[in-house]
Amino acid sequence: MTTTARAGSVFLADNRRNLWSVDVHPDTNVEDIERPGFWAHEASKLRQFDRIEIRWEDGQKWADAIVLANGAGFARVAIINLIDAAVPADGEQQQADADFTFQLVDVKWKGPTSKWCIIRKSDGHLVKDGIGDKIIAMTEAAQYEKTVRG
C-alpha cells in the first residue's frame, strides 16, 4: 500500500512554527541547552516544534534545536545539529597549542563587543580587540611577538 499526504495537510513551515535565534556565552555546553530550566526566562514565547538557532558568541559553535515541549518556566529542547569549529582533526590541537604559545601576550575572549583580544602580559594593556576569529587572533599575536622581539 502506498501512503500519500492527505489533501490540505501540507502547510508553509513559517505558518506552523517560529524560528528563534539566541547567542550564548562561550562556556555554555550542550547539556546546559538541553536542560529545561535553561529556557525558563523565554519559555512563554516558545511553542512545541519551534526551532532555535543557537550561536556561541565566540563563533566556535553553532547549533540548530527544536522545542519538544514547554510550560510555565521550562522548555524541553533537543539539539538537531551541532557544528563545532573548535574541534580539530586528530593531532591538530596539539600542533596548534605548540604553534601558539606566547611569552609576551595572551589571547582571550572578551565578549560579543570586544570579541577576541590580544593583551600584553606585562601590564595588561589591550594590544588589539574586535578580532572575530580565534585563529586569526592567535596569528596576529604571533606576529606581534615577532615584531616586538625584532
Side-chain angles (χ1 to χ4, degrees):
M1 177 176 163
T2 303
T3 319
T4 61
R6 232 182 18 205
S9 65
V10 177
F11 301 93
L12 287 173
D14 288 345
N15 295 330
R16 307 277 295 189
R17 54 107 174 110
N18 296 308
L19 175 61
W20 302 95
S21 179
V22 62
D23 292 334
V24 297
H25 190 272
D27 292 338
T28 306
N29 60 45
V30 172
E31 292 77 21
D32 291 334
I33 290 166
E34 292 181 329
R35 187 174 39 80
F38 182 83
W39 301 98
H41 62 291
E42 300 291 350
S44 64
K45 294 180 187 176
L46 303 174
R47 298 186 318 215
Q48 186 179 27
F49 303 122
D50 278 359
R51 300 287 286 269
I52 305 171
E53 190 178 89
I54 304 161
R55 304 177 311 181
W56 276 254
E57 292 173 344
D58 62 359
Q60 296 298 299
K61 293 181 189 171
W62 179 90
D64 190 21
I66 188 167
V67 177
L68 301 174
N70 72 307
F74 84 94
R76 195 160 54 94
V77 169
I79 300 293
I80 298 170
N81 190 23
L82 175 67
I83 298 170
D84 191 344
V87 175
D90 291 341
E92 193 175 295
Q93 185 62 49
Q94 293 82 2
Q95 184 60 44
D97 290 345
D99 290 346
F100 294 118
T101 303
F102 304 112
Q103 293 179 355
L104 304 176
V105 296
D106 283 322
V107 174
K108 294 186 178 182
W109 175 256
K110 292 291 191 178
T113 303
S114 295
K115 302 184 179 188
W116 290 101
C117 299
I118 301 170
I119 302 163
R120 195 165 47 221
K121 289 180 181 180
S122 63
D123 60 1
H125 175 75
L126 179 65
V127 175
K128 185 170 182 182
D129 68 349
I131 306 167
D133 183 81
K134 184 178 183 179
I135 298 299
I136 292 171
M138 300 289 247
T139 303
E140 289 187 21
Q143 184 62 40
Y144 173 83
E145 285 207 351
K146 183 178 176 182
T147 302
V148 169
R149 288 183 176 175

